[in-house]
Structure formats: structure tokens, C-alpha cells
Amino acid sequence: AVDLAAALAAAASLGGGAVVTAVDRESRSLALATANAARNGLEVRLSPLDYATDEAVAAFAARHAPFDLVTGAALMELSTSPRLWSVLRALTAPGGAIGVAANDAETAADATAADATASTEVVGHQRRRRRGSLVALAHTVGAVASPPEGSGFVEVARVAGLGFGLHTRWSESESDFEVVVARRVKK
């Protein structure tokens, strides 16, 4: 998993066994992520990344990508920019985790036909199902637009912040936040 803006790295690493890489262009944010992970007894890799330049994103992606999960919170100008989806595309893949096996080629082929949202390959008698990488972005309500046509992503859910305990400072029954979940699709 990779965490953009290094805000959720410790939480993402709680998923069990996942290697989490926290990135940010600000060294101060990386230092805070390091302290937070250490305080919680978690291991998080850190890497500077300036998402504003194609060269920096391409170099980082060549060394570390693709990621099955990308998280981000308060990405500031990146969240409102069409560039967000091109950065996410560089860090993700249409294929994610490898899934179930079938006991014969016919069953594997039938299962492949039944799941149009997954990129699936049949190797021998085993069906390997690959779902596209997931992206979860926590932001102010409406700050992240749905993925544009042709971006390689589809919006899976838009969940009100209250479901995650994100409320306003004025009221625990209202939230100014939401989490946008998108999946990388096969292109």
C-alpha cells in the first residue's frame, strides 16, 4: 500500500502484514509519519515524492509500483486537479490481489465469464482473478470529483465521514468529510 501525503500510513499498516510506503513532498510530514508509526509500533517505509512533476512520479513508480491500495487525505491542490488521476494511474495497476483457484479449466473459464469487473487469466486449471488496485481518499465533502471518463478508474463508493468517526468540531452528528473509494479498471 502507498499513502499519499503520509497522513494515513500508520492506519493503513494496521491491515496486517501489508508493507506501507508513506510519501509526501514535505519532509516535515514524513517525520511526523515516522514518529506516529514508531509510537504505534508499526513499520512504515518513507519516501519523498513531488507529485507535481511527471519525472518524480515516474521514477517513484518504476521503483515501487504498482500498489494494491493507495490512501490519501487532504491532498490539497492535488485533490482538485485532473492530475490526481494520472498520478494514481502511475501508482496502480488494473490487477491487484490474486484470488481463487478452480478445480478444472471449464469451471475457471465459467467463473472468468461471470466476473466482468476483474481482469482474469486461466493458467492450467487455476483461475487467477485480479481486481484493480483500490484508492481511498479522505477529504472535505465534494473536494474530490468522480474519476473522469478515460482515467482508468471507476468510483466504487462515496462514504460520509461519520461512518469513520470524522465529524465537525462543532457537532458530532455532522461531518464535513467523506471517503471516496475508486477501483482501477482494465483499459
Side-chain angles (χ1 to χ4, degrees), residues 1-4 9 19-23 44-47 60 64 67:
V2 66
D3 177 39
L4 303 176
V19 175
V20 176
T21 302
V23 299
V44 175
R45 290 188 306 199
L46 302 165
S47 181
F60 177 81
H64 302 288
F67 293 97

Side-chain angles (χ1 to χ4, degrees), residues 43-158:
E43 186 175 336
V44 175
R45 290 188 306 199
L46 302 165
S47 181
L49 174 61
D50 181 2
Y51 356 90
T53 68
D54 291 335
E55 296 79 17
V57 172
F60 177 81
R63 286 190 315 273
H64 302 288
F67 293 97
D68 287 334
L69 174 65
V70 178
T71 61
L75 296 176
M76 309 305 273
E77 72 278 353
L78 187 61
S79 67
T80 59
S81 166
R83 178 154 181 75
L84 170 66
W85 300 105
S86 66
V87 169
L88 292 172
R89 188 169 174 82
L91 300 177
T92 59
I98 294 176
V100 300
N103 46 357
D104 63 58
E106 186 177 344
T107 304
D110 289 345
T112 300
D115 189 358
T117 64
S119 125
T120 309
E121 59 183 306
V122 177
V123 179
H125 295 301
Q126 188 176 34
R127 177 178 66 107
R128 294 182 180 176
R129 198 165 109 202
R130 299 172 161 254
R131 293 214 175 256
S133 302
L134 280 177
V135 174
L137 305 172
H139 284 275
T140 306
V141 172
V144 176
S146 294
E149 186 74 30
S151 68
F153 290 89
V154 293
E155 186 172 311
V156 175
R158 193 170 284 261

